Amino acid sequence: MSAIRVENLEKTFGDLTAVNKISFQVEKGEIFAFLGPNGAGKTTTIKMLTTLLNPTSGKIELDGLDPTIHRNEARQRFGIVFQDPSLDAEQTAYENMELHGVLYKVPHKLRVQRTEQLLKLFELWERRNDYVKTFSGGMKRRLEIARGFLHTPKILFLDEPTLGLDPQTRNQLWTHVKSVNESENTTVFLTTHYMDEADRVAHRIAIIDHGAIVAMGTPQELKQQTNSESLEQAFLALTGSTIRDESATSQDQLRRFAQMWRK
Amino acid sequence: MSAIYILWLRELKRYVRSRAQIAASLGQPLLYLLALGFGLGPVFQKAGQGSYFQFVAPGVVSMTILFSSVFSGIAMLWDRQFGFLKETLVAPVPRIQIMIGRTVGGATVAVIQGLLVFVVAIIAGFRPHHWVSFFPALLFMMLIAIVFAALGTAFGSIVQDMQGFQLIMNFMVLPIFFLSGALFPLENLPKALVIITRIDPLTYGVDAMRGALISNIQFGFSVDTIVLCLIGTAFLTAGAYLFSRIQL
Ligand SMILES: Nc1ncnc2c1ncn2[C@@H]1O[C@H](COP(=O)(O)OP(=O)(O)OP(=O)(O)O)[C@@H](O)[C@H]1O
Ligand SMILES: [Mg+2]
């Protein structure tokens, strides 16, 4: 049985097809990278896999379970680091870890021990009693990641985990990902825009563009297929070099932001 | 420690930590209590209705609980905007537990707010008929808080932006307050108003509060209790259903 199985998965928002009938499988213990330009549909796919969004059509299996039906059982099997912020800014770093540990039923002793270990690893231990709202962007990001590793799920989703991180922390992160993958046989499903990272850690890669998968294989295979030296070249060969029109979304975001503060 | 407890605790921590918000949210009830309580006193007295301050204090305490509990539910909007909601929605905990933790947390905060206003009312001269009546009053405060925190959670699950928030505040919460008899006696009202006040859940909460504190009750404790419990169950069910269906 595969860790993740997706068949003809589709998601539309009104006229826009964000994910267009994609199919793929991720085996247990595999590190699978999902790469694609901005707006390709990566986050939307992850949201459907993690019960945050209902698919328009298609089938999903997580560890043999359909997350649209057995939502709670499916949630017990994965952990996730979101692309967008998801911390409680009004609580301290330690409290955020604690809350996560309780929600994920990490036994008290283990929770205390792992919290200390992870906050030290991501260099937040000294600031553990500070409110998250006082953290820099990179520190918040590190806390999101530390929190994501607090429990040990069968499947780990990492949506652009290295966004806004310094090289030291990026390195630390991937080392840690590899080590849990090896020691716990954790399946990892990740997205990133840094091709060298994907090349370094991923066993297999799928490239998604405009909601459809355009290529899939090991980093080696993708490079051979496109006659490229590097994964970056292969990526550009497969997805073209035009910049994606994200004006609509950034405008939406601005509008949303304005709405929030208009009283 | 369970999921319900930790989310309840979070609501409480947020409340205790935001002193400015505590002060701000007490401003309006105190204005009603003091300005209306003393301002309308003479007119009320002349109409042969006794002390308006005594009459309005239980209503203002109920109002405080209404506003505070609905607000805490709709405040889910901020958790949506700042992303924390996602963290709780993917957790391996039935969403009903998340919903209950948040709702009971919001209700607890609302009761605390209500108690603060109650204390101010006493300092300003409010006297319950018996001091032991504080306990049934507290019970009804909790009931009111649960009913409207559940309503808040239901709204919070569907509201996506500031406009929706304003819409609900202006077209649901303010009418619930003004048409509940919190500020005026329900006797001798025009027919239309009688009907509206009867379908307003807060009417029964205010009635029970007045019954407990100043022995002035219209529907009777059993009717008030039954109505509040039924509406509370309905709102909790609706809240749980809508919360379980949130997509991000
Ligand atoms: N809630 C939504 N409503 C409408 N459109 C949406 C919504 N969420 C995503 N989209 C659209 O779906 C498309 C895919 O978005 P998605 O967030 O999955 O991209 P992505 O591959 O994660 O991109 P990035 O690399 O920028 O994170 C985009 O065009 C986006 O505008
Ligand atoms: Mg994304």
Side-chain angles (χ1 to χ4, degrees):
Chain A
M1 193 170 48
S2 314
I4 307 174
R5 225 162 63 86
V6 168
E7 243 174 71
N8 288 321
L9 185 64
E10 186 184 25
K11 181 73 197 181
T12 56
F13 296 106
D15 294 339
L16 181 106
T17 305
V19 175
N20 192 358
K21 301 238 157 76
I22 60 171
S23 304
F24 62 86
Q25 290 187 26
V26 180
E27 299 310 321
K28 287 197 171 137
E30 195 171 25
I31 300 183
F32 187 83
F34 207 49
L35 308 180
N38 289 140
K42 304 179 294 293
T43 300
T44 306
T45 304
I46 291 184
K47 281 184 175 173
M48 289 190 282
L49 292 174
T50 55
T51 73
L52 280 177
L53 206 54
N54 292 331
T56 306
S57 69
K59 255 180 70 177
I60 307 174
E61 267 178 30
L62 276 191
D63 201 26
L65 287 165
D66 183 340
T68 59
I69 298 167
H70 304 282
R71 302 207 294 176
N72 220 35
E73 290 87 341
R75 287 184 195 129
Q76 279 160 9
R77 284 162 171 76
F78 66 77
I80 177 167
V81 173
F82 296 101
Q83 176 178 351
D84 305 318
S86 68
L87 298 167
D88 186 359
E90 302 288 336
Q91 294 203 67
T92 66
Y94 197 89
E95 286 171 329
N96 267 277
M97 296 292 278
E98 184 178 40
L99 195 145
H100 184 91
V102 171
L103 288 182
Y104 283 81
K105 302 191 177 66
V106 181
H108 178 81
K109 244 180 120 174
L110 191 65
R111 186 181 81 222
V112 171
Q113 185 191 327
R114 287 185 66 92
T115 298
E116 177 168 355
Q117 181 196 338
L118 284 162
L119 287 182
K120 281 183 173 157
L121 180 66
F122 291 102
E123 293 182 18
L124 290 165
W125 184 244
E126 315 285 295
R127 301 287 305 267
R128 66 187 177 280
N129 291 324
D130 291 348
Y131 288 129
V132 170
K133 62 184 172 193
T134 66
F135 281 12
S136 76
M139 288 165 65
K140 285 182 191 156
R141 200 69 203 142
R142 292 200 315 248
L143 181 57
E144 299 246 10
I145 289 163
R147 191 182 65 177
F149 286 115
L150 186 56
H151 69 298
T152 41
K154 285 189 177 172
I155 306 170
L156 186 58
F157 291 96
L158 303 170
D159 196 356
E160 296 191 34
T162 49
L163 191 80
L165 288 182
D166 56 32
Q168 292 88 330
T169 318
R170 292 217 296 263
N171 206 29
Q172 197 73 267
L173 165 70
W174 293 124
T175 309
H176 198 72
V177 168
K178 276 187 153 173
S179 98
V180 293
N181 169 258
E182 276 156 26
S183 63
E184 322 249 348
N185 201 33
T186 307
T187 308
V188 182
F189 185 102
L190 66 94
T191 77
T192 176
H193 289 297
Y194 299 102
M195 295 302 135
D196 54 316
E197 293 179 346
D199 201 358
R200 187 179 133 202
V201 298
H203 302 143
R204 225 149 46 86
I205 291 174
I207 294 190
I208 179 172
D209 196 9
H210 298 297
I213 292 180
V214 293
M216 194 151 40
T218 62
Q220 211 48 46
E221 283 167 356
L222 291 181
K223 284 182 242 175
Q224 271 166 12
Q225 199 181 318
T226 52
N227 278 323
S228 314
E229 296 272 295
S230 66
L231 192 61
E232 181 130 3
Q233 274 179 14
F235 180 83
L236 290 173
L238 286 160
T239 58
S241 49
T242 47
I243 292 174
R244 299 312 141 127
D245 179 19
E246 277 296 280
S247 55
T249 34
S250 56
Q251 248 171 33
D252 278 349
Q253 270 167 7
L254 260 181
R255 204 172 302 134
R256 227 176 291 153
F257 198 70
Q259 274 168 7
M260 250 182 83
W261 298 110
R262 202 183 304 143
K263 290 227 168 174
Chain B
M1 260 199 290
S2 78
I4 295 180
Y5 170 72
I6 198 91
L7 290 166
W8 173 84
L9 189 65
R10 167 177 184 260
E11 296 295 320
L12 234 67
K13 279 184 189 162
R14 286 168 79 85
Y15 173 69
V16 175
R17 284 171 188 177
S18 61
R19 301 242 165 73
Q21 198 206 319
I22 298 176
S25 59
L26 286 180
Q28 200 181 7
L30 294 187
L31 207 59
Y32 276 105
L33 190 67
L34 303 177
L36 291 186
F38 292 117
L40 292 179
V43 185
F44 205 70
Q45 197 102 44
K46 248 183 224 156
Q49 296 270 15
S51 158
Y52 187 62
F53 188 78
Q54 286 288 102
F55 176 84
V56 86
V60 174
V61 172
S62 309
M63 172 199 100
T64 311
I65 298 174
L66 164 75
F67 284 178
S68 175
S69 52
V70 176
F71 184 83
S72 76
I74 307 186
M76 202 192 300
L77 177 61
W78 278 270
D79 282 342
R80 200 189 274 264
Q81 298 279 3
F82 294 116
F84 177 71
L85 191 60
K86 288 196 291 276
E87 154 78 358
T88 57
L89 291 187
V90 295
V93 174
R95 280 202 187 169
I96 178 97
Q97 289 187 19
I98 311 265
M99 181 266 177
I100 288 175
R102 295 187 68 108
T103 307
V104 176
T108 308
V109 167
V111 170
I112 297 175
Q113 291 267 89
L115 286 174
L116 288 180
V117 172
F118 185 71
V119 169
V120 174
I122 288 191
I123 294 171
F126 177 73
R127 289 292 171 267
H129 279 184
H130 302 287
W131 288 104
V132 281
S133 65
F134 169 76
F135 296 100
L138 181 63
L139 215 70
F140 285 111
M141 286 165 77
M142 290 181 194
L143 255 178
I144 299 173
I146 290 283
V147 167
F148 291 106
L151 184 67
T153 306
F155 285 138
S157 305
I158 44 180
V159 166
Q160 314 253 356
D161 51 33
M162 225 29 227
Q163 273 94 331
F165 177 83
Q166 299 267 295
L167 215 64
I168 283 168
M169 276 305 188
N170 290 330
F171 289 97
M172 289 293 308
V173 183
L174 284 180
I176 286 178
F177 163 51
F178 280 111
L179 300 170
S180 68
L183 299 178
F184 50 79
L186 295 176
E187 292 123 38
N188 307 322
L189 296 178
K191 254 257 155 58
L193 204 53
V194 169
I195 295 169
I196 296 174
T197 52
R198 292 299 190 278
I199 52 175
D200 183 342
L202 189 63
T203 301
Y204 303 90
V206 170
D207 190 51
M209 287 285 286
R210 259 188 210 127
L213 291 171
I214 57 169
S215 316
N216 174 352
I217 191 159
Q218 185 162 14
F219 307 114
F221 286 117
S222 37
V223 172
D224 290 336
T225 310
I226 291 170
V227 171
L228 287 174
C229 286
L230 286 179
I231 295 178
T233 311
F235 285 174
L236 280 170
T237 311
Y241 175 73
L242 292 171
F243 190 80
S244 76
R245 286 170 48 95
I246 296 179
Q247 292 192 40
L248 291 175

